[in-house]
């Protein structure tokens, strides 16, 4: 696969398990994440870089990495697939990750073929991303529609940018549509959990 994988996490057992699994998925290469400049160099060689995040006890430690990716000036990095992998992610964890702009949350363990299939969903499909003052990431409104009791989900925000993209392994990211309007969709205006 002409894509590269960065495994993000504290280097513990969960991280090592994810790193080993990523090595079996057919990526052009796999390494630990050591900063955005490392990714900028790699993005020139492989058009798509995945970020596979291992489970952590405190999600706040992922915020700086997620923000560095999602708010990067480089389109190849900004639209990179961000996937969190954990044994049993809670609803609170899932909501926090959605608010950080993650593309997917994968419950482990998964077979190699199932994990490859799940990661493959990030390539070759039109996807909608939203950008607001404090959010940049996939349109995840369908993931929070059932949470009517959460006042944050029902809040209306300000102006937003809607981008329709497609990722492919030959060219990286193509922006198919780029629209600016307001008010923001509910999930795009959600505040992150602290």
């Amino acid at each position: 696969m002409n894509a590269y994988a960065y495994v993000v996490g504290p280097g513990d057992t969960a991280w090592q398990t994810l790193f080993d699994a990523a090595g079996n998925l057919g990526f052009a290469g796999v390494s630990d994440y050591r900063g955005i400049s490392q990714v900028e160099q790699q993005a020139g060689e492989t058009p798509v870089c995945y970020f596979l995040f291992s489970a952590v006890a405190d999600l706040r430690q992922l915020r700086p990495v997620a923000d560095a990716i999602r708010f990067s000036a480089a389109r190849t990095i900004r639209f990179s697939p961000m996937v969190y992998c954990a044994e049993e992610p809670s609803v609170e964890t899932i909501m926090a990750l959605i608010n950080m702009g993650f593309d997917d949350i994968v419950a482990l363990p998964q077979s190699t073929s199932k994990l490859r299939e799940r990661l493959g969903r990030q390539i070759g499909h039109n996807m909608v991303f939203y950008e607001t003052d404090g959010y940049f990431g996939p349109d995840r409104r369908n993931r929070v529609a059932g949470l009517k009791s959460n006042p944050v989900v029902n809040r209306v925000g300000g102006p937003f940018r809607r981008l329709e993209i497609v990722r492919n392994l030959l060219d990286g990211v193509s922006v198919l549509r780029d629209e600016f309007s307001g008010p923001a969709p509910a999930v795009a205006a959600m505040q992150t959990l602290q």
Side-chain angles (χ1 to χ4, degrees):
M1 174 183 342
N2 194 22
Y4 200 88
Y6 288 98
V7 182
V8 182
D12 58 9
T13 304
W15 179 91
Q16 188 63 56
T17 301
L18 182 58
F19 189 91
D20 294 343
N24 296 323
L25 293 173
F27 285 106
V30 178
S31 68
D32 60 324
Y33 174 78
R34 293 181 302 257
I36 207 72
S37 61
Q38 167 198 28
V39 180
E40 289 168 347
Q41 291 177 346
Q42 184 63 46
E45 296 178 32
T46 50
V48 175
C49 293
Y50 278 78
F51 293 88
L52 307 177
F53 289 74
S54 69
V56 293
D58 185 356
L59 291 176
R60 290 178 291 189
Q61 68 190 71
L62 301 181
R63 165 68 61 194
V65 177
D67 284 352
I69 296 164
R70 285 293 180 241
F71 294 103
S72 170
R75 178 176 25 177
T76 54
I77 297 170
R78 188 170 200 189
F79 289 103
S80 293
M82 293 191 334
V83 178
Y84 184 81
C85 301
E87 284 190 22
E88 293 182 20
S90 67
V91 171
E92 294 80 15
T93 295
I94 292 168
M95 291 304 299
L97 295 167
I98 287 172
N99 284 323
M100 283 189 240
F102 275 74
D103 291 275
D104 201 0
I105 296 98
V106 176
L108 298 176
Q110 295 277 329
S111 68
T112 301
S113 61
K114 289 283 188 187
L115 188 54
R116 184 181 295 116
E117 176 187 327
R118 188 77 175 257
L119 297 176
R121 294 178 190 173
Q122 302 301 321
I123 304 297
H125 303 285
N126 289 14
M127 303 174 76
V128 174
F129 272 61
Y130 281 103
E131 180 178 18
T132 68
D133 188 33
Y135 175 81
F136 183 78
D139 178 6
R140 303 300 293 271
R141 291 173 293 169
N142 63 334
R143 302 290 180 140
V144 296
L147 302 175
K148 301 290 185 205
S149 62
N150 186 339
V152 176
V153 172
N154 297 322
R155 193 179 67 223
V156 176
F160 67 94
R161 185 176 176 193
R162 181 187 185 277
L163 298 111
E164 186 175 343
I165 67 148
V166 65
R167 299 174 181 127
N168 70 69
L169 297 177
L170 296 176
D171 304 319
V173 175
S174 297
V175 176
L176 307 174
R177 289 180 98 163
D178 186 348
E179 304 167 333
F180 183 82
S181 59
V187 75
M190 292 171 62
Q191 294 293 317
T192 59
L193 300 177
Q194 299 297 331

